Amino acid sequence: MEPERLEPFVWRIPVGTVDGMRVPGIVFASDQLMGKAVADRAVLQVANVATLPGIVDASYAMPDIHWGYGFPIGGVAATDPETDGVVSPGGVGFDIACGVRLIRSDLEWERDAKGVIEELVHTLAARVPRGVGTKGRMRLSREEMRTLLAQGVRFPLSKGVGTDADAEFCEDRGTLADARPEHVSDRAVERGMSQLGSLGAGNHFLEVQVVDEVRDARAANVMGMFEGQVCVMLHSGSRGLGHQVCTDFVKVMDREMPKAGIEVPDRQLACLPLQHEQAQRYLGAMAAAANFARANRHVLTDGVRESFEHVFGRSASDLHLELVYDVAHNLAKLEDHQVDGRTRTVCVHRKGATRAFGPGHPELPAAYRDIGQPVTIPGSMGSASYVLVGTAEAAGRSFSSTCHGAGRAMSRTQAKKVMSGPALADTLREQGIAVAASQPRLLAEEAPYAYKDVSEVVSVCEGAGLSRVVARLRPVGVVKG
Amino acid sequence: MDAGYEILEHTADVGLRAWGSSPEAAFEQAGWALAEILGAMTEGPGQVRRVRAQADDMAALAVAFLDELLFVHESEEAAFAAITVSRVGARDLDGEVEVVPLSGEPEGTAVKAATYHQLRVATEPGGHTEVTVFLDV
């Protein structure tokens, strides 16, 4: 495979690299990141995605690209309903609407929080349910689940959990209106009813962080962020409910696809034309799962506020524990974009990629209209995280998408060989980072050294014009599932 | 060896390859491979749960079977003491598992689902079967 370099951070995978490509692949990467993407065959997956019916422009990959299941992680693909474009549940992934939210406070690290960080982390660990299975903070009846799936964060809000501003600063204001709970299977509902307000396991986490560098003072100011400020970053998704929705529809599409005359190079790319009844059902069920994911992070936020209130003896509103933004990195959405010189409504799949609208976009909360959409990029445990904003330029480059994280560089077994979980916890503590993990021996699977350098990933995004860096945060407390 | 499994691990993904002298034996081994990845292997006796799955071909059936085990593991927060597959048909299978509630968090990798990615189930005329499935973790 011979990717062609078009620009310092832009590479093209020509049509013909694999049979049936309809558009080229475009990968945003530095030399080093591109080398890794070629070596782990993720670039081949970018080419495979380019075979999907109705794909427009290119099959894109963000700089944190790595090998995935069918779609590469970091992949972005837009399909056009007018040209029999498809939707693929695998192009969204099992953890539908998994995403990151950032919560700010008025606390200053050195002055207010440094002395109580151990207590804070252990309070969070006790009040935020996490790990495999796990009962969440709210247990719902089947009927309540149907309402929640239709309403997203408006459901917990109606129960007195959270604030109106939490909805305002969430993608889609916390509710995807086209959700169709009736297309979510009973089993998916069953898995979700006990899990609302639970973090999950694996790479999901909650971190107490400090803003240690502001690079764009104006944007940071608009987001209410300042150097030395204590923030909380939360990474979680739609839990078992979303996994089940994806499982159900991959199976349906795998079965229906041959009847629609579609062939794909990997069964996990199973897809159907957007007009197909099962595709419409998937989009409705996916939106419902996305509503669950946002509501899940919303309810988790309540656990964060409660913990801070307990430790600092002030109310959450007095502490200004407010949502900066919440955005997903596994989702498919119908959006208007310029394709071949005209505006078309296309289905943008983002799998391990984040929507990043530029300034002026009507979807943005009024407060962010001038600066662009905030994007929160988690580093791996113990390394820096970033807050970015979308650019106008990204609309024409990547369907307004940017990276979502660092991307793995080392297998879990390899990572555990480098250092044991408890030894890693000690190392983090020596760096002044408090740690609470429900599976201490597994901590090393998610070690910073097992991931690519997130700083390089975000600087490539900046270099390629996909987003701009606003601030860097460093962790001071880690709560893992 | 007659029946067994290995866990396949690369940078970001985890998979399993299982084999046996019959489809039933290979599917059981695939179940044990999943249980090991989850850190959910235990000793009985436990509660018996019937496991059934349907799909249009044997490869999809392997995915459906592993998804059933994942559902039992997650919904009951349980580990596996026994995995028995009594019958693998062309489009469905029957089996049962014995489960014991987990005591604390399992020391394994959380698995979201079994995938169709590079999915392969091959049966030789004598019945020897090999199953390869990748998991989303």
Side-chain angles (χ1 to χ4, degrees), chain A residues 103-399:
Chain A
I103 303 154
R104 62 176 178 246
S105 76
D106 73 352
L107 297 166
E108 286 182 36
W109 167 243
E110 293 286 342
R111 186 191 67 197
D112 305 314
K114 198 174 177 179
V116 293
I117 187 64
E118 284 287 341
E119 186 192 351
L120 181 60
V121 163
H122 288 96
T123 307
L124 287 163
R127 293 178 190 231
V128 174
R130 63 224 157 84
V132 174
T134 310
K135 306 294 175 262
R137 288 175 60 86
M138 280 174 92
R139 186 178 171 84
L140 306 186
S141 67
R142 272 176 201 278
E143 203 177 312
E144 288 173 316
M145 273 297 287
R146 299 286 170 190
T147 312
L148 167 86
L149 292 175
Q151 294 187 347
V153 305
R154 290 209 316 271
F155 177 80
L157 268 178
S158 73
K159 301 277 172 194
V161 174
T163 67
D164 289 337
D166 294 340
E168 169 72 9
F169 292 100
C170 190
E171 182 183 9
D172 310 307
R173 291 174 175 78
T175 307
L176 271 168
D178 42 7
R180 295 287 174 267
E182 65 272 26
H183 299 316
V184 176
S185 68
D186 287 343
R187 174 171 282 194
V189 169
E190 192 181 326
R191 289 176 75 169
M193 47 201 278
S194 64
Q195 292 186 327
L196 186 65
S198 66
L199 200 56
N203 62 356
H204 295 147
F205 68 81
L206 187 161
E207 277 189 0
V208 182
Q209 303 179 340
V210 178
V211 179
D212 76 344
E213 188 190 355
V214 168
R215 293 205 198 150
D216 180 335
R218 177 176 156 261
N221 189 44
V222 170
M223 292 184 213
M225 296 179 67
F226 56 88
E227 270 179 34
Q229 177 185 32
V230 174
C231 293
V232 172
M233 190 178 285
L234 204 154
H235 177 211
S236 186
S238 48
R239 310 285 287 107
L241 179 131
H243 308 169
Q244 190 65 45
V245 167
C246 182
T247 295
D248 293 342
F249 280 95
V250 171
K251 190 172 175 179
V252 168
M253 294 207 184
D254 176 70
R255 196 170 58 216
E256 294 292 322
M257 188 172 52
K259 297 175 206 163
I262 299 171
E263 277 184 54
V264 289
D266 184 317
R267 280 178 86 171
Q268 190 65 25
L269 296 176
C271 56
L272 283 172
L274 283 150
Q275 281 100 342
H276 193 286
E277 190 193 345
Q278 291 295 350
Q280 289 297 312
R281 285 185 181 198
Y282 169 69
L283 288 174
M286 179 206 71
N291 282 343
F292 185 90
R294 279 78 170 272
N296 184 38
R297 293 191 287 274
H298 180 98
V299 174
L300 284 165
T301 303
D302 193 49
V304 170
R305 289 187 171 129
E306 199 182 278
S307 301
F308 272 70
E309 287 179 337
H310 177 80
V311 171
F312 293 97
R314 292 161 59 193
S315 72
S317 62
D318 187 43
L319 289 162
H320 292 276
L321 282 166
E322 291 152 357
L323 185 55
V324 175
Y325 202 63
D326 178 305
V327 63
H329 50 232
N330 286 352
L331 207 54
K333 288 185 125 174
L334 291 166
E335 293 172 4
D336 289 340
H337 288 280
Q338 289 289 316
V339 179
D340 299 334
R342 66 183 178 97
T343 302
R344 291 205 252 172
T345 302
V346 290
C347 179
V348 185
H349 301 69
R350 297 187 180 91
K351 179 165 180 195
T354 316
R355 191 195 71 179
F357 284 143
H361 197 284
E363 153 69 20
L364 296 183
Y368 296 152
R369 237 11 98 70
D370 291 344
I371 59 166
Q373 179 208 305
V375 175
T376 308
I377 303 301
S380 52
M381 178 178 52
S383 70
S385 295
Y386 287 85
V387 175
L388 321 175
V389 278
T391 62
E393 206 184 342
R397 306 219 94 186
S398 59
F399 293 109

Side-chain angles (χ1 to χ4, degrees), chain A residues 451-467:
Chain A
Y451 282 81
K452 291 174 199 165
D453 179 4
V454 70
S455 307
E456 187 180 0
V457 169
V458 298
S459 60
V460 170
C461 288
E462 193 157 70
L466 309 182
S467 50

Side-chain angles (χ1 to χ4, degrees), chain A residues 18-21 43-52 59 70 265-266 269:
Chain A
V18 303
D19 284 347
M21 284 175 76
V43 170
L44 196 62
Q45 296 185 314
V46 175
N48 285 342
V49 170
T51 68
L52 292 180
S59 163
D266 184 317
L269 296 176

Side-chain angles (χ1 to χ4, degrees), chain A residues 69 251 255 266 268 413 439, chain B residues 9 54 56 106 116-117 135:
Chain A
Y69 308 91
K251 190 172 175 179
R255 196 170 58 216
D266 184 317
Q268 190 65 25
T413 306
Q439 299 161 294
Chain B
E9 207 195 354
Q54 280 111 34
D56 285 357
Y116 285 77
H117 175 62
L135 307 168

